[in-house]
């Protein structure tokens, strides 16, 4: 059975306000959030027992990297577990502030933009085989990634020189290249940085940084699962005529600003093709590929079934997906709010509503409110999310999680990263776990046994 | 992190190639049971409660240094 390793890295936005006005500076809030983590890991970069990594990123964004996942569904579960872990930190930090008599309310948002032109991301990682060439893979994926926002966009109220407009994507306006190694200066769709955190002879990392932070389970799942299938088609040499874009950066903006999904992208050969047709082109190529090579792969059939269902509904009436797609749900809320209050898109309450959709606290997050009230769908049971706060997926993350748990249990000092497990002490020992798919390793078993006896 | 301790469920199998449970896409799926804007006044009242009272200040003050 074919398996791939997936991971999602999420940067969160934070604020601390007193009745809406800026309170404690963001950097200080971030530091306080991590104080609870730091006291445990003694650094602002820790691996947790569920195999994930939590750290303070550039610009004081808390960042949560899921453990190595082996399916798109696991990615959804662990993405949501990350929200819960961050929300636990928020709760504890809020309690600290209250106790110390410091005024301020902390909020954490899993979105991608502030209102001053800054952006932070939701980065997908796909482990791909080294044997294929990277550039053709990146080229083949680009038009797919540029147009998938018609279902994967998280929706955004964008302030422009000519007033506020609603756009499909949070990230589109912040993307400046197709493929490059830049991150903050000139963000690309695909970052070519190659850190596989695995046997570099066999694997490389495909790092997609164009994505929005989706609150909808279905969208996170479909965005990862559909991308996986396109990668697989290219990896296995399936037939795909790539609709090369004239300019990825222009196309991504044009698609984002056209709520019909029919916004055309200009191809290198001069033709204009609606975004939805580009998506259909990929879907159909994947369907042909699966029919020929993997007719019995039911998981893949399910993915293309959902992909097709969503594209068909988008074509007929995007609003029919109000219970599933982030950008549609948010747009409907914005319009309803405007209607009742007679306010324009530029009203700050609309901006606040946009943000509140992404608030990770169950009591104040709008997306969570909609799910709780049966207004939006979910794919994952809450119990699975709670379990994933502690339990790693059955990948290398399981080895890391067991190692960390045993170290805590036996009071041993250890250092870990994605690949290494190090037992510190008089005779330090380091294990290298190069295959992210291997979740059972007798060397790790032995090292854990030694922790118990060898003190 | 979350307070509760769980023991990691391990299987005795040494076969790392053993397939994982299938990608349970539709497994725990819960479909929406009502239209998004059902009882829209009630919904908007709830939304008003979670919006900051001083939205203008909040929106202006919400500045995040650039991430990746």
């Amino acid at each position: 059975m074919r398996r791939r390793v997936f991971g999602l890295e999420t940067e969160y936005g934070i604020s601390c306000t007193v009745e809406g006005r800026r309170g404690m500076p963001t950097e200080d809030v971030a530091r306080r959030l991590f104080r609870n983590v730091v006291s445990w890991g003694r650094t602002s970069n820790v691996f947790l027992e569920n195999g994930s990594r939590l750290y303070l990123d550039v610009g004081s964004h808390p960042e949560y990297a899921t453990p190595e996942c082996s399916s798109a569904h696991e990615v959804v579960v662990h993405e949501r577990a990350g929200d819960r872990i961050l929300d636990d930190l928020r709760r504890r930090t809020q309690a600290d502030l209250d106790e110390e008599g410091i005024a301020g309310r902390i909020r954490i948002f899993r979105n991608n933009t502030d209102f001053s032109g800054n952006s932070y991301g939701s980065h997908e990682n796909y482990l791909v085989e080294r044997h294929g060439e990277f550039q053709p893979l990146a080229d083949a994926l680009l038009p797919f990634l540029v147009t998938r926002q018609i279902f994967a966009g998280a929706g955004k109220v964008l302030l422009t020189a000519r007033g506020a407009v609603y756009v499909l994507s949070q990230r589109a306006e912040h993307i400046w290249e197709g493929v490059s190694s830049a991150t903050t200066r000139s963000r690309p769709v695909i970052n070519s940085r190659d850190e596989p955190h695995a046997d570099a002879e066999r694997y490389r990392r495909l790092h997609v940084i164009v994505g929005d932070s989706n609150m909808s389970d279905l969208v996170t799942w479909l965005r990862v699962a559909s991308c996986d299938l396109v990668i697989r088609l290219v990896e296995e040499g399936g037939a795909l005529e790539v609709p090369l874009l004239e300019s990825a950066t222009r196309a991504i903006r044009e698609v984002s600003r056209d709520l019909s999904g029919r916004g055309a992208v200009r191809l290198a050969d001069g033709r204009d093709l609606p975004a939805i047709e580009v998506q259909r082109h990929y879907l159909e190529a994947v369907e042909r590929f699966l029919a020929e090579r993997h007719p019995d792969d039911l998981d893949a059939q399910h993915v293309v079934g959902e992909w097709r269902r969503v594209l068909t509904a988008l074509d007929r009436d995007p609003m029919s997906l109000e219970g599933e797609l982030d950008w549609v749900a948010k747009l409907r809320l914005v319009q309803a709010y405007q209607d009742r209050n007679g306010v324009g898109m530029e009203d700050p309450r609309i901006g606040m509503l946009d943000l509140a959709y992404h608030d990770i606290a169950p009591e104040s997050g709008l997306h969570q409110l909609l799910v709780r009230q049966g207004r939006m769908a979910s794919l994952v049971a809450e119990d699975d999310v709670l379990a994933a706060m502690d339990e790693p997926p059955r990948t290398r993350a399981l080895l890391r999680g067991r190692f960390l748990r045993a170290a805590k249990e036996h009071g041993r000092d250890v250092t870990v990263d994605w690949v290494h497990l190090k037992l510190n002490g008089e005779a330090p020992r380091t294990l290298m776990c190069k295959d992210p798919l291997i979740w059972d390793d007798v060397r790790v078993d032995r090292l854990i046994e030694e922790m118990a006896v060898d003190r | 992190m979350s307070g509760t301790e769980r023991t990691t469920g391990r299987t005795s199998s040494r076969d790392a190639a053993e397939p994982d449970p299938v990608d349970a896409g539709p497994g725990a799926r819960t479909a929406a049971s009502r239209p998004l804007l059902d009882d829209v006044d009630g919904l908007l009242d709830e939304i008003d409660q979670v919006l900051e009272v001083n939205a203008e200040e909040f929106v202006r003050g919400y500045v995040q240094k650039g991430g990746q």
Side-chain angles (χ1 to χ4, degrees), chain A residues 1 3 11 13-15 17 19-22 27 48 61 70 72-73 88 105 107 109 111 114-116 118-121 123 171 184 187 221 299 302 306 309 322 324 329 332 336-337 340 348 352-353 355 366 369 373-375 377-379 389-391 394 398 402 405 408 439-440 445, chain B:
Chain A
M1 181 169 161
R3 292 178 72 201
E11 294 173 321
I14 52 180
S15 76
T17 53
E19 310 224 313
R21 292 188 172 80
R22 242 198 267 195
E27 297 75 27
L48 308 181
H61 295 281
S70 62
H73 188 260
D88 271 4
R105 176 179 175 199
R107 299 178 77 143
F109 304 98
N111 75 329
D114 63 11
F115 300 96
S116 310
N118 299 306
S119 181
Y120 35 101
H123 305 162
R171 289 284 270 182
T184 49
R187 271 186 217 93
W221 173 79
D299 288 346
H302 174 65
E306 284 292 278
R309 178 180 70 81
E322 62 175 22
E324 297 184 284
R332 297 275 282 157
Y337 197 90
R340 183 165 86 169
M352 182 74 222
L353 190 159
L355 207 48
L366 289 187
L369 174 80
Q373 297 187 344
R375 298 171 191 273
S378 64
L379 281 190
M389 293 169 75
D390 297 313
E391 291 170 14
R394 207 201 278 172
L398 182 58
R402 285 178 50 220
R405 193 176 302 254
K408 192 160 110 186
W439 53 272
D440 201 358
D445 296 347
Chain B
M1 286 289 338
S2 62
T4 51
E5 274 294 321
R6 289 183 182 81
T7 46
T8 309
R10 288 198 63 216
T11 66
S12 55
S13 168
R14 295 276 145 186
D15 181 6
E18 178 190 318
D20 255 26
V22 294
D23 193 342
R29 181 165 192 158
T30 311
S33 56
R34 59 202 286 208
L36 187 82
L37 299 179
D38 190 26
D39 177 23
V40 68
D41 281 320
L43 175 63
L44 292 175
D45 287 344
E46 286 189 77
I47 289 178
D48 269 327
Q49 283 169 21
V50 305
L51 300 188
E52 291 281 347
V53 280
N54 200 338
E56 188 168 1
E57 283 278 349
F58 188 92
V59 163
R60 195 185 311 143
Y62 184 69
V63 178
Q64 308 289 311
K65 286 183 186 157
Q68 291 185 19

